[in-house]
Amino acid sequence: MANNEDLLKKIIAHSKEYGFIFQSSEIYDGLSAAYDYGQNGVELKNNIKDYWWKSMVQYHENIVGLDSAIFMHPTVWKASGHVDAFNDPMIDNKDSKKRYRADVLVEDYLAKIEDKIKKEVNKARKRFGDDFDEKQFLATNKRVLDRQAKIDEIKGRFVDALEKNDLVALKKLIEDLEIKCPLSGSKNWTDVRQFNLMFSTQFGSLSEGANQIYLRPETAQGIFVNYLNVQKTGRMKLPFGIAQIGKAFRNEIVARQFIFRMREFEQMEMQFFVKPGEEIKWFNYWKEERMKWHLSLGIPESYYRFHEHDKLAHYANAAFDIDFDFPMGFKEIEGIHSRTDFDLEAHQKMSGKKIQYFDNEENKSYVPYVVETSIGLDRTFLAILTFAYTEEKLEDGSERVVMKIPPFLAPIKAAVLPLTKKDGLPEKARKIMDNLKYDYNCHYEEKDTIGRRYRRQDAIGTPYCITVDHQTLEDNTVTIRERDSMKQERIPMEKISGIIGEKICSVL
Ligand code: GAP
């Protein structure tokens, strides 16, 4: 199971060494919180996108896709509330000059107390063995109860300060909890200030009187402003959804933890338009559906949990996160929000255009309500790496790192490897490669010993290695090696494609 910094470091190093992820502009010492996906990374990323798109748009007859522009009219962001309210509270430590998110400092403090409770539970489980009753323990153990009471008290003050936007109360909470700067160790803090996360830029040339516009901080608004276009041209009936994959930009105050929190990232969002009053029913439906989607990747349930929002965003009347057990602990990977009619109503008001749905059955028009599912593509990528990264000690005493990426998402599905570079083996292997490459992303390699080549394919998560040897020339059979079990089997050449297909299609 995850939950250690060491694992994150290993994943970062492995991602670079094997062409998954590089620091942006690395030759200029990098740009913080921006990353490039390398030759294997882009394949994995595309496969995740493809799977999400298929499970949303292709499998649901009432969901259609969209690809809206990143640049949008500046009033969009006024209407959506982002100009006034898309802020994070920031605080600086005067000694280290380091900047932090004030809310994250408190959240980390709370997480530490939660960790202590977890440790108590684990200790007790070991002590009592099979007789251990976790529920009863949590409800009766004095130390746990004291800690829980402390969490509740802090949370009460925290949520109150956030809801009232009371930055003085937030600073007082940080002071009362005696939170120290992890770098300087001091409690010498500035006041808490609000910081708007949107990037802005100039649109058009200055001579034309350029407008200030924003890089979108979410893809959702592109869907809202196209609601009428899609509903009318697609003759969509409620309930229906519009799905979109695309870049989003946020000037995050603290952007650490690799691709978990980036300033440029990708979202996969779906806005589901429903009849007012039916939103909670659909919210519950999508909450469950989205969790099923995550589990369909083949990652065990223990990596996931639901997390109900303590403080609702300005547009929501219900919100849950799906959290994933990243190397840094449980953190949000996807949000499911009941956004009411907030966005469509706001765009209707600001644009002066009627944005409504005519309900034939009820013979009246209304502004639909919206349930949103919003998943981070990069965080999904990191989740898969977290689950997949495996160090193994083998029977012969050697070690290997194998990426147990779900086969249908693996960057390369099969590697074709002639045992030697001579005796006509490369020519035979090339023929196999040519047959497979129209259906699957395959890799051909003849350099190095076969053992080394297997290790390299393990390290990028290739489910199958196909080895062509002298026997192949005689009877058209090859050995096929499976990544996780490392089992090798001799099969006729014509069976290769079917075996790969069966493995990678099992989830689709
Ligand atoms: N339209 C709703 C929305 O944008 P959000 O919870 O702010 O909601 C949705 O973002 C998802 O986008 C998150 O669950 C996360 O996976 C991803 N995300 C948000 N900020 C991110 C960042 N700075 N870097 C990487 N992914 C991010």
Side-chain angles (χ1 to χ4, degrees):
M1 180 68 62
N3 212 356
N4 65 74
E5 276 184 24
D6 211 31
L7 176 61
L8 186 62
K9 280 191 194 139
K10 284 179 179 172
I11 288 173
I12 296 171
H14 191 88
S15 294
K16 181 175 175 192
E17 189 177 350
Y18 289 96
F20 283 95
I21 298 170
F22 307 123
Q23 175 76 60
S24 161
S25 322
E26 195 187 346
I27 58 167
Y28 293 103
D29 295 333
L31 183 70
S32 84
Y35 289 91
D36 300 337
Y37 286 80
Q39 68 278 17
N40 290 316
V42 67
E43 297 294 342
L44 174 54
K45 204 178 182 198
N46 283 341
N47 292 342
I48 300 170
K49 282 196 231 187
D50 191 45
Y51 181 53
W52 183 86
W53 191 263
K54 280 193 174 133
S55 38
M56 284 302 198
V57 179
Q58 189 173 322
Y59 291 179
H60 290 95
E61 289 175 25
N62 59 351
I63 299 181
V64 291
L66 179 77
D67 184 16
S68 68
I70 288 173
F71 291 146
M72 296 177 78
H73 194 284
T75 313
V76 166
W77 305 109
K78 188 74 194 155
S80 68
H82 284 80
V83 172
D84 297 319
F86 196 53
N87 301 318
D88 275 342
M90 65 174 179
I91 190 166
D92 294 294
N93 183 268
K94 290 182 193 162
D95 298 317
S96 68
K97 310 271 182 267
K98 262 276 186 213
R99 178 159 291 173
Y100 297 91
R101 263 177 63 177
D103 53 337
V104 172
L105 287 179
V106 177
E107 276 165 9
D108 286 350
Y109 187 92
L110 287 167
K112 275 186 197 143
I113 312 180
E114 274 162 9
D115 263 0
K116 283 185 187 153
I117 295 181
K118 255 193 228 158
K119 275 187 192 142
E120 296 277 1
V121 171
N122 288 340
K123 240 175 32 196
R125 181 173 290 118
K126 263 191 203 146
R127 196 160 6 113
F128 296 114
D130 288 345
D131 296 336
F132 182 60
D133 180 342
E134 185 171 331
K135 250 194 187 155
Q136 197 195 346
F137 181 78
L138 288 173
T140 53
N141 181 275
K142 168 97 175 67
R143 270 196 306 271
V144 169
L145 289 176
D146 287 349
R147 289 200 165 113
Q148 193 54 51
K150 193 166 179 197
I151 290 177
D152 294 343
E153 192 225 316
I154 298 170
K155 264 198 183 163
R157 285 178 65 185
F158 183 49
V159 172
D160 194 50
L162 292 181
E163 269 172 0
K164 292 187 180 136
N165 209 359
D166 186 344
L167 303 183
V168 175
L170 193 52
K171 177 165 184 201
K172 179 87 175 57
L173 182 59
I174 290 171
E175 284 171 342
D176 290 351
L177 297 176
E178 302 193 346
I179 295 177
K180 290 182 192 151
C181 165
L183 228 78
S184 66
S186 91
K187 294 177 268 179
N188 195 8
W189 297 108
T190 62
D191 286 340
V192 179
R193 283 160 295 156
Q194 288 291 22
F195 179 78
N196 192 288
L197 298 184
M198 282 198 294
F199 282 102
S200 63
T201 186
Q202 301 299 318
F203 199 70
S205 73
L206 285 175
S207 56
E208 290 169 2
N211 272 327
Q212 188 195 35
I213 58 157
Y214 301 99
L215 296 187
R216 65 181 181 199
E218 61 171 12
T219 62
Q221 296 304 324
I223 296 180
F224 292 128
V225 299
N226 277 294
Y227 158 76
L228 266 191
N229 286 336
V230 175
Q231 192 270 321
K232 290 223 175 320
T233 58
R235 300 191 300 147
M236 308 300 290
K237 292 234 171 309
L238 290 191
F240 75 92
I242 305 179
Q244 167 157 243
I245 300 177
K247 291 267 183 174
F249 305 83
R250 295 182 190 179
N251 200 2
E252 298 282 358
I253 298 170
V254 183
R256 285 193 222 112
Q257 298 173 324
F258 197 36
I259 54 170
F260 179 80
R261 198 176 298 287
M262 300 153 87
R263 297 204 166 98
E264 173 184 341
F265 57 99
E266 242 170 304
Q267 291 184 316
M268 305 190 284
E269 298 200 298
M270 193 277 295
Q271 310 297 324
F272 200 67
F273 300 92
V274 304
K275 196 168 158 178
E278 293 190 349
E279 72 276 13
I280 297 301
K281 176 182 92 182
W282 285 110
F283 172 75
N284 289 329
Y285 170 83
W286 280 110
K287 202 180 122 207
E288 298 309 321
E289 276 300 294
R290 292 304 304 147
M291 183 59 102
K292 279 189 214 153
W293 184 88
H294 285 277
L295 298 177
S296 75
L297 299 177
I299 300 178
E301 211 171 336
S302 57
Y303 277 88
Y304 295 96
R305 72 174 186 199
F306 280 119
H307 168 81
E308 188 171 6
H309 281 210
D310 293 325
K311 175 188 178 260
L312 291 174
H314 58 275
Y315 49 74
N317 70 355
F320 264 82
D321 291 338
I322 295 178
D323 285 356
F324 184 85
D325 194 4
F326 288 104
M328 315 76 85
F330 273 102
K331 303 243 181 226
E332 175 187 346
I333 186 168
E334 172 157 10
I336 296 108
H337 313 121
S338 172
R339 290 182 80 126
T340 66
D341 57 355
F342 176 88
D343 303 87
L344 291 184
E345 200 51 92
H347 289 306
Q348 179 168 259
K349 215 181 267 165
M350 284 262 182
S351 68
K353 310 259 160 51
K354 209 168 151 197
I355 306 181
Q356 303 210 341
Y357 176 77
F358 182 72
D359 188 325
N360 277 321
E361 280 164 24
E362 299 213 3
N363 200 23
K364 65 173 188 190
S365 295
Y366 48 76
V367 177
Y369 270 45
V370 174
V371 173
E372 163 185 77
T373 70
S374 176
I375 174 171
L377 175 54
D378 312 270
R379 287 192 190 174
T380 309
F381 192 108
L382 182 58
I384 288 166
L385 294 190
T386 303
F387 162 72
Y389 183 90
T390 314
E391 292 174 353
E392 280 181 355
K393 220 174 174 82
L394 305 180
E395 274 171 14
D396 63 3
S398 65
E399 286 174 11
R400 72 163 182 163
V401 171
V402 53
M403 292 301 269
K404 295 191 173 175
I405 297 173
F408 74 105
L409 297 177
I412 291 169
K413 305 298 185 227
V416 182
L417 315 170
L419 193 61
T420 65
K421 280 192 214 169
K422 44 186 204 261
D423 303 334
L425 298 187
E427 290 75 8
K428 191 82 179 168
R430 277 267 170 227
K431 272 196 190 134
I432 295 174
M433 177 74 188
D434 286 344
N435 273 335
L436 291 177
K437 72 182 180 195
Y438 295 101
D439 296 322
Y440 310 111
N441 194 22
C442 295
H443 184 83
Y444 176 88
E445 195 169 21
E446 52 187 44
K447 234 176 114 200
D448 281 334
T449 64
I450 196 74
R452 278 212 182 142
R453 282 182 273 168
Y454 285 159
R455 289 290 170 277
R456 270 204 297 275
Q457 295 305 322
D458 288 345
I460 59 174
T462 306
Y464 286 114
C465 286
I466 292 140
T467 306
V468 173
D469 56 19
H470 291 91
Q471 195 179 326
T472 312
L473 301 180
E474 286 165 22
D475 62 7
N476 282 330
T477 62
V478 292
T479 56
I480 187 161
R481 172 188 181 271
E482 199 271 329
R483 177 192 72 194
D484 298 349
S485 63
M486 292 186 292
K487 277 206 180 109
Q488 298 190 26
E489 208 188 329
R490 191 128 210 133
I491 57 161
M493 265 166 52
E494 62 271 15
K495 281 201 171 168
I496 303 171
S497 183
I499 290 177
I500 301 170
E502 206 172 297
K503 182 101 173 171
I504 64 170
C505 288
S506 56
V507 78
L508 295 172

